Amino acid sequence: MRSFIISSSAVKIDRYYDKNFKELAIESIKDLEKKISEPLEPEALIISSVAVEYLDKQSNMAGIIADYLGLRNIRVYRVESGEASGLAAVQIAHSLVTSKAVKKALVIGVDKLSDMSNAKIAELYSYLKDSDYIQIHGVSPLSEAALLAKIYMKTYDYSYEDLFIWPFTMHQNSPDTPHAQLRFKISPDSYKESPILAEPLRLLDSYPFGDGASALYIVSEDVAEEYDVNVSIEGLSSSNDVNDIASREDLLIFSAVRDSFIKTLKMADIELGKLKYIEIHDNYTPNAFIVLESIGLADRGKAPELLQDSMIGSAHVNLSGGLKARGNPWGATGIYQVHEIFSALLGEFKKSVLGEIDYAAAQNMSGCGDVSYSIVLKRVR
Amino acid sequence: MMFERSPAKIWRNRDVLYRLKYSYCRDCKRSFYPPRGRCIYCGSSNIEHRYSSGRGVVKEFTVVYQTPVGFTDMSPMVIGLIEMEEGFRLLAQIVDVKPEEISNGMKVEAVLRRMIVDGGTGLIYYGIKFAPLIEKS
């Protein structure tokens, strides 16, 4: 069973001190609504947000946003699965539609990281780790990624400067991404001189804190036939790993990323080589390389060498600029990724690079591959 | 800065946090921490819980400058990947040593230290960190 995406939209990731969670979420569907030229009539609203309770002192966010959108008598859900919440929410929408529980589902991802201090955001980010036994030591995905960077460099004989290819490439891609938070290029000097977060990782190895909201309209096949434009969800799956990297048998492969991607390709019934465009979850530089190697785009330890002009193998990766430069508003990130690959399949995003493509994919994970979701989209018409 | 913790949460985890209780799988003979009811490697529920000697070796470490609320006064803070004598690995802070004096392979032992201070109530929570091993003569 397939579901179909018929419209999407995204606000520029930025600091929106003048907008609250609800207003930013509502802002994100304006373009989506314009594109289908009719009022939205979803039977389900799914909100993806990682930290609305802490950032906005708010629970029941889906019901409240439905209220502000004027939606009544519909199913409302809020989905939280760490940084992978966005694609988890898409999976819920897909399941609702393909099970015929509803015909139309509106998915909105929203988080506002600018509303709190950096130290508070660092604390909230550490909530991705087991609060009883891991987080309490001050461990966060940042310290885990820093350890992975050191192990990766030693194992595969790379210098810190060798890792620059990733942030450099992301900042080459982001200037013409309309919704990207950091639309500028960076030099090797600015990389090496940026503040240290957790050695060896520096500021430009990480993502910027910002506010974002993005939305998708997911419908059943019979509804999709009424529209000129649509893209099918051909594959969608997820997997998980132990929460602390210390207990993993293999630190340099994210098994959740690998396994969810394999299952997604199988569901879509395609080989990896069919994918010409993939958006991956690059919350930290070493994680980008490990993800590329985990999904099979590069042999182990080869991703930094093989990446050229944002291509690896026959696939373009992170043409948006990725989390590194497009931004990572947590619960919205997976929705941004799907908005990007959906728009690319329609020829409305990065067409000068991609041309016409039939398949594209996204991979959205939490922390250092603690849980991971993948999706494959196909252009139908 | 606020960092809110429940004293009950710390108390009920005292064996794991203060005595390094871990799990040993009788089937695949592997150990892991924190303890669980099923083996994270083979899925067996043939598990027994044991207590660590508290001694281990630094496999890798990082010096963290962007520390979360609750840990900002410890910045820069060293987080180490430590392999314990019993074979399991964990992530924890390394203290009582300058970062430049830490090296992979260095022997460390568990010590009781202040972990976090609840900014709202002033409650101080203690826990295990790791310091260079002092060999007893």
Side-chain angles (χ1 to χ4, degrees):
Chain A
M1 290 287 284
R2 295 184 300 179
S3 65
F4 292 77
I5 303 176
I6 56 169
S7 189
S8 73
S9 57
V11 300
K12 182 183 182 302
I13 301 171
D14 212 325
R15 292 173 179 158
Y16 292 99
Y17 298 124
D18 60 332
K19 284 188 171 57
N20 61 34
F21 265 75
K22 299 181 281 287
E23 290 165 338
L24 196 60
I26 291 165
E27 183 73 24
S28 77
I29 64 165
K30 284 183 181 168
D31 271 355
L32 179 150
E33 202 164 19
K34 257 187 227 162
K35 287 175 193 170
I36 59 169
S37 309
E38 63 184 35
L40 289 175
E41 293 176 337
E43 296 156 77
L45 172 69
I46 299 116
I47 299 295
S48 166
S49 175
V50 173
V52 65
E53 290 87 353
Y54 307 103
L55 293 168
D56 207 37
K57 303 290 181 198
Q58 182 70 69
S59 55
N60 186 30
M61 194 44 135
I64 290 168
I65 290 176
D67 175 14
Y68 275 71
L69 284 171
L71 299 171
R72 299 288 186 274
N73 195 23
I74 66 165
R75 299 167 189 242
V76 292
Y77 306 91
R78 182 276 181 99
V79 175
E80 189 278 305
S81 191
E83 271 180 299
S85 300
L87 273 193
V90 174
Q91 191 162 57
I92 300 299
H94 173 77
S95 299
L96 286 168
V97 167
T98 54
S99 68
K100 301 187 177 176
V102 303
K103 289 192 169 193
K104 300 175 182 176
L106 178 62
V107 184
I108 304 175
V110 58
D111 261 315
K112 283 179 59 61
L113 278 56
S114 298
D115 277 11
M116 296 281 184
S117 69
N118 285 356
K120 185 67 186 175
I121 295 301
E123 181 200 335
L124 298 181
Y125 200 51
S126 76
Y127 288 6
L128 299 179
K129 308 312 301 179
D130 182 333
S131 71
D132 283 313
Y133 309 118
I134 301 171
Q135 190 196 109
I136 195 162
H137 291 285
V139 172
S140 72
L142 166 64
S143 45
E144 290 189 329
L147 290 164
L148 291 179
K150 293 179 91 167
I151 294 166
Y152 189 93
M153 290 190 299
K154 282 178 188 165
T155 304
Y156 301 127
D157 197 23
Y158 286 111
S159 68
Y160 177 66
E161 286 73 16
D162 291 333
L163 305 186
F164 176 59
I165 184 72
W166 185 261
F168 170 78
T169 304
M170 294 303 99
H171 281 267
Q172 290 291 112
N173 292 342
S174 65
D176 60 348
T177 298
H179 51 271
Q181 183 174 0
L182 305 181
R183 299 178 65 183
F184 55 82
K185 296 180 180 180
I186 59 171
S187 67
D189 285 346
S190 62
Y191 177 60
K192 285 190 292 186
E193 290 164 11
S194 65
I196 299 177
L197 301 181
E199 57 88 25
L201 301 182
R202 291 173 178 270
L203 186 66
L204 292 180
D205 287 305
S206 179
Y207 61 88
F209 295 161
D211 306 337
S214 184
L216 305 169
Y217 205 28
I218 297 176
V219 302
S220 61
E221 188 158 12
D222 55 327
V223 171
E225 282 170 1
E226 297 166 16
Y227 293 87
D228 296 335
V229 173
N230 64 53
V231 164
S232 62
I233 296 179
E234 292 288 306
L236 178 56
S237 192
S238 61
S239 187
N240 66 304
D241 201 348
V242 288
N243 185 256
D244 66 309
I245 63 162
S247 296
R248 294 182 188 169
E249 291 183 292
D250 186 346
L251 289 167
L252 297 182
I253 286 290
F254 292 154
S255 67
V257 173
R258 177 195 61 204
D259 296 344
S260 73
F261 217 83
I262 288 170
K263 287 193 283 187
T264 301
L265 289 176
K266 193 174 176 190
M267 184 175 167
D269 197 23
I270 61 167
E271 301 289 324
L272 182 61
K274 275 263 188 188
L275 296 172
K276 300 303 175 200
Y277 174 34
I278 305 175
E279 282 288 329
I280 67 160
H281 192 101
D282 57 325
N283 45 3
Y284 297 104
T285 299
N287 290 2
F289 298 130
I290 296 172
V291 166
L292 292 171
E293 293 164 16
S294 298
I295 64 179
L297 278 172
D299 288 338
R300 295 172 69 113
K302 295 293 179 192
E305 289 172 31
L306 294 175
L307 184 71
Q308 205 162 26
D309 298 329
S310 211
M311 282 192 83
I312 193 155
S314 58
H316 294 268
V317 292
N318 284 21
L319 292 176
S320 68
L323 279 66
K324 172 73 212 73
R326 174 241 290 122
N328 177 24
W330 295 351
T333 299
I335 313 296
Y336 275 92
Q337 290 177 316
V338 177
H339 165 69
E340 287 151 1
I341 62 173
F342 169 75
S343 303
L345 286 164
L346 299 181
E348 295 170 358
F349 183 66
K350 305 284 177 173
K351 189 176 184 181
S352 62
V353 181
L354 288 167
E356 285 202 354
I357 56 170
D358 294 322
Y359 289 95
Q363 175 268 331
N364 183 206
M365 69 185 183
S366 192
C368 295
D370 307 348
V371 297
S372 186
Y373 288 74
S374 316
I375 190 169
V376 167
L377 302 186
K378 181 185 179 186
R379 181 168 58 104
V380 179
R381 60 179 178 267
Chain B
M1 289 280 214
M2 293 287 286
F3 190 89
E4 295 164 345
R5 287 275 163 180
S6 154
K9 184 180 174 74
I10 306 290
W11 177 81
R12 65 176 165 260
N13 295 331
R14 60 195 181 282
D15 275 358
V16 181
L17 293 178
Y18 299 144
R19 299 180 64 198
L20 295 178
K21 184 168 102 174
Y22 67 98
S23 295
Y24 173 77
C25 176
R26 294 190 190 99
D27 286 341
C28 75
K29 315 293 183 200
R30 282 180 280 191
S31 305
F32 51 92
Y33 176 92
R36 283 97 149 170
R38 279 185 180 273
C39 178
I40 62 171
Y41 300 112
C42 73
S44 167
S45 54
N46 189 14
I47 294 292
E48 68 179 62
H49 296 311
R50 297 177 173 180
Y51 293 92
S52 169
S53 68
R55 289 186 292 274
V57 169
V58 176
K59 302 300 284 184
E60 193 52 88
F61 65 98
T62 177
V63 185
V64 182
Y65 294 83
Q66 190 189 66
T67 47
V69 168
F71 298 89
T72 47
D73 62 343
M74 297 172 196
S75 180
M77 173 176 77
V78 179
I79 297 287
L81 172 64
I82 296 162
E83 188 166 286
M84 305 302 293
E85 279 184 345
E86 297 82 5
F88 67 86
R89 291 181 299 189
L90 53 76
L91 300 178
Q93 290 181 46
I94 300 174
V95 294
D96 298 355
V97 59
K98 290 177 183 168
E100 57 271 26
E101 293 169 355
I102 303 172
S103 58
N104 292 348
M106 189 173 83
K107 291 180 181 175
V108 290
E109 62 184 344
V111 292
L112 192 66
R113 289 287 187 276
R114 189 188 68 163
M115 294 299 287
I116 44 179
V117 178
D118 185 323
T121 63
L123 283 171
I124 298 171
Y125 299 112
Y126 291 86
I128 295 292
K129 299 183 183 182
F130 286 83
L133 176 69
I134 300 171
E135 303 276 6
K136 290 178 182 133
S137 54

